[in-house]
Amino acid sequence: DSLRASSRLSLGELQVLAQRYETVLANPEFEHILDAAHPPCGGRRFAWLEGGRMLRIECEGEAVYALDSQHELYRYTGLVHIADAESVLAFCSDDYNLLAHPRFRPELLPTSPPDLATRLPSLIIFMIDATSRAHFRRSL
C-alpha cells in the first residue's frame, strides 16, 4: 500500500509492472544480481572527461586509453582533447574505466522546418472552436 501511495499508480498497474520486471529479471543474465550477498563493485574512478572534452587520468603507473571501438591503445602523458570519440576506455594497471560522452552532432538535427501544408490540423483546436461557438450562441 505504501508503494502504491508513493507511486500514485493503481494496484493493477503495479501488478502488471511487477510481472514485467519478474519476466525481465528471470533472464539468466541477471542471475544473483539482486542477492544480498552480491559483492559491491571494487573498482575505483581514475579517469574523467572534463569540460571541453578533456581526458584526465590519475594513475600511479602507466596509463593507456582506447577510443570508441578502436583496437589501438594510446599512452597517456597528460590532458588529452577527445574530439570525435564518444567513448573512452582507460586502463591503469589492472583497472579500467569506461567513459561515455556523446558529442553534439548538428548534422543529425533537421535543418528545415516541417512543411506546414502537409501537416494535418489539430483536432483540439476544432473542439475548442466548436465548444466556444456553441457557448456563444447559447449566451445570445
Side-chain angles (χ1 to χ4, degrees):
D1 286 331
S2 63
L3 179 61
R4 186 168 43 125
S6 64
S7 68
R8 297 186 187 136
L9 293 173
S10 69
L11 184 60
E13 289 173 312
L14 281 174
Q15 288 174 339
V16 168
L17 191 60
Q19 289 170 351
R20 286 175 55 198
Y21 274 103
E22 184 179 19
T23 303
V24 169
L25 292 175
N27 186 330
E29 178 183 353
F30 297 109
E31 189 173 359
H32 303 296
I33 199 167
L34 296 178
D35 292 350
H38 184 73
C41 297
R44 63 181 178 87
R45 182 175 182 188
F46 58 86
W48 294 267
L49 274 175
E50 297 177 344
R53 301 181 62 82
M54 300 297 289
L55 173 65
R56 175 185 296 276
I57 299 178
E58 294 180 358
C59 179
E60 295 295 324
E62 183 181 8
V64 293
Y65 63 95
L67 302 175
D68 287 335
S69 58
Q70 298 175 3
H71 299 287
E72 185 176 354
L73 290 176
Y74 302 97
R75 189 167 165 228
Y76 180 80
T77 56
L79 282 176
V80 179
H81 177 63
I82 307 297
D84 295 327
E86 293 189 337
S87 62
V88 177
L89 187 58
F91 296 93
C92 177
S93 46
D94 291 337
D95 292 333
Y96 66 91
N97 284 174
L98 175 62
L99 309 173
H101 193 280
R103 62 187 182 93
F104 179 64
R105 297 184 56 193
E107 69 272 10
L108 298 178
L109 297 174
T111 55
S112 60
D115 186 14
L116 298 178
T118 60
R119 201 170 87 183
L120 296 174
S122 171
L123 291 177
I124 295 175
I125 293 174
F126 283 135
M127 291 171 54
I128 293 172
D129 184 49
T131 305
S132 61
R133 284 183 191 200
H135 178 68
F136 175 74
R137 288 186 185 137
R138 269 184 265 154
S139 65
L140 287 179

